[in-house]
Amino acid sequence: MADVVLKVQEIQCGYDGVPVIHDVSLEIGEGEIVAMVGANGAGKTTMMRTIAGLMNPYRGSISFEGRDISRMEAHDTIKLGISYVPEGRRLFPKLTIMENLELGAFISKDRKAIDERLERVFGLFPKLHDRRNQVAETLSGGEQQMVAIARGLMSNPRLLLLDELSLGLMPSLVEKVMEAVVAINRSGVTVLLVEQMVQEALEIAHRGYVIQTGRIVQQGTARELLNSPEVRKAYMGL
Ligand SMILES: Nc1ncnc2c1ncn2[C@@H]1O[C@H](COP(=O)(O)OP(=O)(O)OP(=O)(O)O)[C@@H](O)[C@H]1O
Ligand SMILES: [Mg+2]
């Protein structure tokens, strides 16, 4: 594996003192797409929120590019280069695409840099450029997901955390969104993707982890997991 960008070591975290993640460890190498897959309630979003700093682990540690971020808050991890695209998109519905994207760049005051990032995300998603003055709530589900990803890129992250991109999208759109993730990754961004749509996620990932009730139960290359009888039976209905 290339240089380790994110290293999560035996973290425990949860809500109101009740752990829902139990001693989870994982590593993401520079340039990888890593998928964390698992069923409803397995703890995927909790893992993402903890890495992003929206909540802190009860114990264990998280480091990003060699720096301990276990106790850091989200407004600081974003400055270090971690961007979290939350489950359910969470756009500002009454604001335009352009306004939503500008808000994604709130940590930067450098107008020129922001314009360059806009140009880059519009390069990735030309359709968003055509509709840049349309308010978010009038966009289709697929378009809204593109805006959410594009907004996540506006902070110029080196690690992009993508939570359940496929939620509520029809299969043809899921495929489009996954293609966009591959393009983003090729442009130099390391990606952690969590998904209930196990096959779709593993098809674009390099490696993966299977999470079940807050524990990693399987890990390997994406191909190993796609070929695993346990994974196929439990998550692909095969
Ligand atoms: N705000 C909260 N307060 C208390 N418990 C929570 C909270 N959010 C999640 N949980 C619990 O934590 C566990 C993991 O939930 P989490 O949302 O991380 O799962 P998930 O894998 O993202 O599920 P999904 O695929 O449905 O998004 C679940 O048992 C859930 O009920
Ligand atoms: Mg979730």
Side-chain angles (χ1 to χ4, degrees):
M1 190 163 61
D3 285 354
V4 175
V5 171
L6 185 81
K7 191 176 174 94
V8 175
Q9 282 175 294
E10 297 186 359
I11 59 167
Q12 184 191 71
C13 44
Y15 303 91
D16 304 317
V18 181
V20 299
I21 298 294
H22 311 277
D23 300 319
V24 167
S25 299
L26 60 89
E27 278 186 3
I28 304 180
E30 173 144 34
E32 281 193 307
I33 299 178
V34 172
M36 172 178 279
V37 296
N40 259 320
K44 303 180 298 296
T45 296
T46 306
M47 280 297 300
M48 292 298 229
R49 291 174 52 83
T50 307
I51 295 167
L54 291 162
M55 51 198 280
N56 290 141
Y58 298 148
R59 56 169 205 244
S61 69
I62 306 171
S63 70
F64 176 65
E65 296 179 338
R67 182 197 291 236
D68 186 358
I69 60 163
S70 314
R71 306 272 141 233
M72 214 174 252
E73 304 220 358
H75 58 260
D76 291 318
T77 62
I78 195 171
K79 287 180 198 149
L80 286 186
I82 299 177
S83 182
Y84 174 46
V85 177
E87 186 177 273
R89 330 198 214 290
R90 306 276 178 86
L91 298 177
F92 296 95
K94 305 287 180 197
L95 300 186
T96 64
I97 291 181
M98 197 66 169
E99 289 162 340
N100 270 282
L101 294 181
E102 294 269 351
L103 285 168
F106 72 95
I107 56 164
S108 178
K109 293 195 169 54
D110 179 350
R111 190 63 242 175
K112 187 158 162 281
I114 295 172
D115 286 340
E116 282 168 10
R117 289 177 205 171
L118 281 169
E119 204 169 305
R120 177 169 162 228
V121 300
F122 286 140
L124 279 164
F125 303 112
K127 215 169 160 191
L128 298 188
H129 184 258
D130 303 339
R131 297 182 174 235
R132 63 191 179 280
N133 297 318
Q134 190 172 328
V135 292
E137 68 181 0
T138 62
L139 297 168
S140 72
E143 289 163 348
Q144 289 189 24
Q145 189 64 76
M146 300 294 186
V147 177
I149 298 170
R151 184 180 59 183
L153 288 172
M154 288 300 292
S155 62
N156 204 25
R158 289 189 301 287
L159 174 65
L160 187 62
L161 307 174
L162 299 171
D163 194 344
E164 214 83 56
L165 295 180
S166 68
L167 200 73
L169 300 185
M170 57 184 186
S172 62
L173 281 176
V174 173
E175 204 167 303
K176 277 229 154 54
V177 171
M178 294 298 169
E179 282 168 16
V181 174
V182 171
I184 289 164
N185 176 248
R186 295 222 168 106
S187 78
V189 182
T190 304
V191 174
L192 175 61
L193 179 71
V194 307
E195 267 297 335
Q196 280 187 48
M197 294 196 76
V198 173
Q199 179 153 7
E200 287 74 4
L202 288 175
E203 273 168 3
I204 66 158
H206 301 106
R207 288 188 307 113
Y209 293 84
V210 180
I211 184 168
Q212 207 178 334
T213 52
R215 289 189 169 82
I216 303 292
V217 293
Q218 230 178 319
Q219 57 181 290
T221 65
R223 180 166 301 275
E224 283 164 358
L225 294 177
L226 278 169
N227 289 329
S228 147
E230 293 84 12
V231 171
R232 291 167 73 85
K233 185 157 175 276
Y235 301 104
M236 297 178 200
L238 298 168

